[in-house]
Amino acid sequence: MNPEIWGLVGTLTGAILVTASSVITTLISTKSSTKNQITLEKLKREELFRDFQRKNFLEIQDILSKIYRYITVLHIEDLKNYKITKEWQKGMLNDETNDNLLISNRNLCILSERVQNDNLRNQLKQIRTKMNSVSKTVSPSESNDKMFQLVADFDKIMNDLGVELRKNY
């Protein structure tokens, strides 16, 4: 073969190799870019979820505090009425406090279902039940016992909510 043919073959081979390496480099770059985009989207979804949980936990803490306050008012009113009438839970809670208690309980029920942690969700349901049970007591001593137990349960659930809240920062 003469040198011109070898020159042509060398040029064509070089052009094919350069084109092939360019295509392979583009494919690798595109694959890497796609993988990075998928990872970025996943991180964004995780951050949105953590933000949602944070806001939910903050709302739950606020509502639990309100319910605890309303239950305490209910308990104190029952004790006051009992001293006067000697009949347990015959008095009525004022309409505003009663409405606020009902709305807060409803909101806690809704927000509790949004908690991802099953154990914490169950704890929230239990404390809501315990808080509401104060209004169903048959004597001042039973009511006092339930309120005493609520102090420990309330502190524990607020602590657990704080732990979950910090996990989401």
Side-chain angles (χ1 to χ4, degrees), residues 127-161:
I127 196 162
R128 190 177 75 240
T129 300
K130 287 179 181 181
M131 286 178 161
N132 291 325
S133 72
V134 172
S135 66
K136 298 175 180 117
T137 57
V138 295
S139 70
S141 61
E142 181 187 4
S143 185
N144 285 333
D145 290 343
K146 287 187 182 279
M147 287 299 295
F148 183 74
Q149 183 60 44
L150 271 179
V151 172
D153 292 341
F154 181 78
D155 287 344
K156 181 178 181 342
I157 194 78
M158 291 302 262
N159 182 54
D160 292 347
L161 282 165

Side-chain angles (χ1 to χ4, degrees), residues 70 93-107:
Y70 297 139
L93 195 58
N94 73 51
D95 288 339
E96 181 183 354
T97 304
N98 188 49
D99 289 346
N100 287 335
L101 179 59
L102 292 173
I103 290 167
S104 295
N105 266 308
R106 184 197 71 211
N107 289 341

Side-chain angles (χ1 to χ4, degrees), residues 31-42:
K31 184 177 179 181
S32 177
S33 177
T34 302
K35 187 176 181 180
N36 287 342
Q37 186 64 31
I38 289 169
T39 302
L40 181 62
E41 291 297 322
K42 183 179 177 185

